Amino acid sequence: MTEPTGTPTPPSTLLPRILRVALPIGVLALGLGAGVAILQTKPAPRRKASGPSVVDVEALTLRATNYRVILRSQGSVSSPTQTTLVSRVAGTVQEAPFQAGAFVSSGAVLIRLDEQDLELALRELTQQGAQAQASLQEAASEEEAAAALAALAEERVEIEAAELARIAGLAKQGVSSDSEITVAKRNHVAARTTLATQETRLQTLRAGRRVLREQLGLIATRVAKARLDLARAQVRAPFTARVLSRAVTRGQYVTAGTPLAVIHGLDRVELRLPISFAQQRYLGLSHGHGPAATSGGPRVKIRSRAGGASWVGRVLRSEALVDPESRQLFAVAEVLEPYGTPSEPASEPLRVGEFVSAEIEGQLLEGVFVIPRSASPLPGQVLVISADDVLRRQEVEVLWSDAESLVVSGLEAGERLCTTPVVFAGESVKVRVHQPGVPSK
């Protein structure tokens, strides 16, 4: 068995392999050395002296003022006098002249029920009352006669008693006989018996008369009820109102308690306006004990969301409960004469159910400063420019804010307020102040 022998690599093939590895390493080393040499021989940069930087800003000279807080809210119009009219008696609807949207005056008949059955019931009760009155008069006459007979019987008892005493006195003197005494006693007993009978009859007649009097009173009450039912067959408007809806039609039979129509008054409407707890402190309403205010509350301007009509009202009160979902309170505002007056009807009425926006005149903040929102880079802080044009941070109390302005306290009148947003402004930053619209010098 023979072992294989390796073939030696020729020198002509080994040299190119060495060059392919050594040449890139050499080029890399040469470039690195040249870079180090350039960095070491680079001249140092010339430093130029510079003064402190100056920032161009706009400034506002502060002036104290009085600011009326405006609370903005929105809500739906409702009527505090909205009511559902129901039937108080049963019957068939005979007339229903008014449709939804109609205006009705106080006392106008909205629904008329059939009155025939009610009239018959009233006539029957009236006749019963007349009969009871006649029976009472007859009982009074009988009682009067019985009282007269009882008086006569009482007089007879007295006479027979006197006669018995006289005969008894004569008997003691031996003048009268025993038979006369017996007759006198018998007459006295008979007179007393007659008196007892008449008194019993008189008491019976008096008791019967009392029963008749009570029956007559009961019939009179039923007659009054029947007359009231007859009047209730005509369902009238309790006040000047507008018909919101009508639930019955002519010919329909209704029972007592059936809803007939929904109306609301025209003298005033109310709005429930949600406000936050932060807004409540500026509303100016009393939260102590006592009745709610009826006038003189905060003024509120109401605008229609559909058009440009507006109305003016007053905030009467705030509701006692907090909305569990929104965690807000509700202020109740009132607008008088939303449809105008008969002499001056409103060109655009404030209708029940309309969704409106409201601006409530809140508390008057005195001696405060109204600044633009851009003047407060951080919450509760502003940048004040000193007399030598240097920025200084100042803590302020934000009393009120809206989309464009902040109402703050904690500043001094005459100070200059930086209104230009300065990013990362620190203390002692030098500024160049110029007025808005005036080119800088």
Side-chain angles (χ1 to χ4, degrees), residues 67-73 279 282 299 301 358-365 400-402:
Y67 181 85
R68 175 72 68 180
V69 174
I70 301 297
L71 308 177
R72 290 177 172 82
S73 185
Q279 292 175 323
Y282 299 107
R299 186 173 179 269
K301 187 172 184 179
E359 295 181 353
I360 306 171
E361 292 185 358
Q363 182 180 352
L364 181 65
L365 304 178
W400 183 255
S401 65
D402 56 25

Side-chain angles (χ1 to χ4, degrees), residues 266-269 311 334-342 344 346 349-350:
L266 304 179
D267 57 337
R268 58 196 176 101
V269 292
W311 304 267
E334 178 187 66
V335 178
L336 300 177
E337 304 295 345
Y339 289 88
T341 60
E344 295 183 5
L350 182 57

Side-chain angles (χ1 to χ4, degrees), residues 275-282 322-323 326-329:
I275 57 174
S276 65
F277 279 96
Q279 292 175 323
Q280 179 195 2
R281 58 181 293 197
Y282 299 107
V322 177
D323 189 338
S326 63
R327 299 299 179 184
Q328 289 183 319
L329 294 172

Side-chain angles (χ1 to χ4, degrees), residues 86-273:
V86 299
S87 176
R88 304 291 297 275
V89 294
T92 303
V93 178
Q94 195 172 34
E95 294 181 11
F98 292 101
Q99 301 291 336
F103 293 90
V104 295
S105 58
S106 178
V109 178
L110 300 177
I111 306 291
R112 187 190 301 274
L113 303 180
D114 188 5
E115 301 175 352
Q116 293 182 2
D117 293 341
L118 299 174
E119 289 176 347
L120 291 175
L122 177 59
R123 191 177 306 161
E124 180 181 356
L125 290 172
T126 302
Q127 292 176 354
Q128 292 179 5
Q131 293 175 358
Q133 183 67 36
S135 299
L136 183 61
Q137 292 178 354
E138 182 179 355
S141 299
E142 292 180 358
E143 182 183 344
E144 185 178 355
L149 292 176
L152 291 176
E154 187 175 1
E155 291 179 0
R156 184 185 173 190
V157 168
E158 294 178 355
I159 293 173
E160 294 297 336
E163 181 65 18
L164 179 60
R166 186 183 68 80
I167 293 176
L170 293 176
K172 290 181 181 181
Q173 297 175 5
V175 178
S176 64
S177 61
D178 292 340
S179 60
E180 291 177 338
I181 294 175
T182 301
V183 171
K185 288 182 179 179
R186 187 182 298 115
N187 292 338
H188 182 258
V189 171
R192 292 181 60 185
T193 302
T194 301
L195 176 60
T197 302
Q198 293 297 332
E199 287 181 345
T200 301
R201 182 170 179 271
L202 180 61
Q203 292 176 359
T204 302
L205 290 174
R206 286 175 176 172
R209 188 182 178 190
R210 285 194 297 270
V211 171
L212 289 174
R213 192 181 295 112
E214 292 175 357
Q215 290 179 353
L216 183 61
L218 179 60
I219 293 174
T221 301
R222 295 173 63 186
V223 168
K225 176 65 167 54
R227 286 184 179 141
L228 185 60
D229 289 344
L230 183 60
R232 286 171 173 170
Q234 298 180 6
V235 181
R236 299 178 180 271
F239 43 77
T240 301
R242 189 176 192 184
V243 180
L244 287 179
S245 63
R246 196 188 70 184
V248 295
T249 58
R250 184 178 178 181
Q252 181 178 345
Y253 182 80
V254 297
T255 58
T258 301
L260 303 177
V262 180
I263 63 173
H264 72 84
L266 304 179
D267 57 337
R268 58 196 176 101
V269 292
E270 288 186 352
L271 298 90
R272 295 177 71 242
L273 303 174

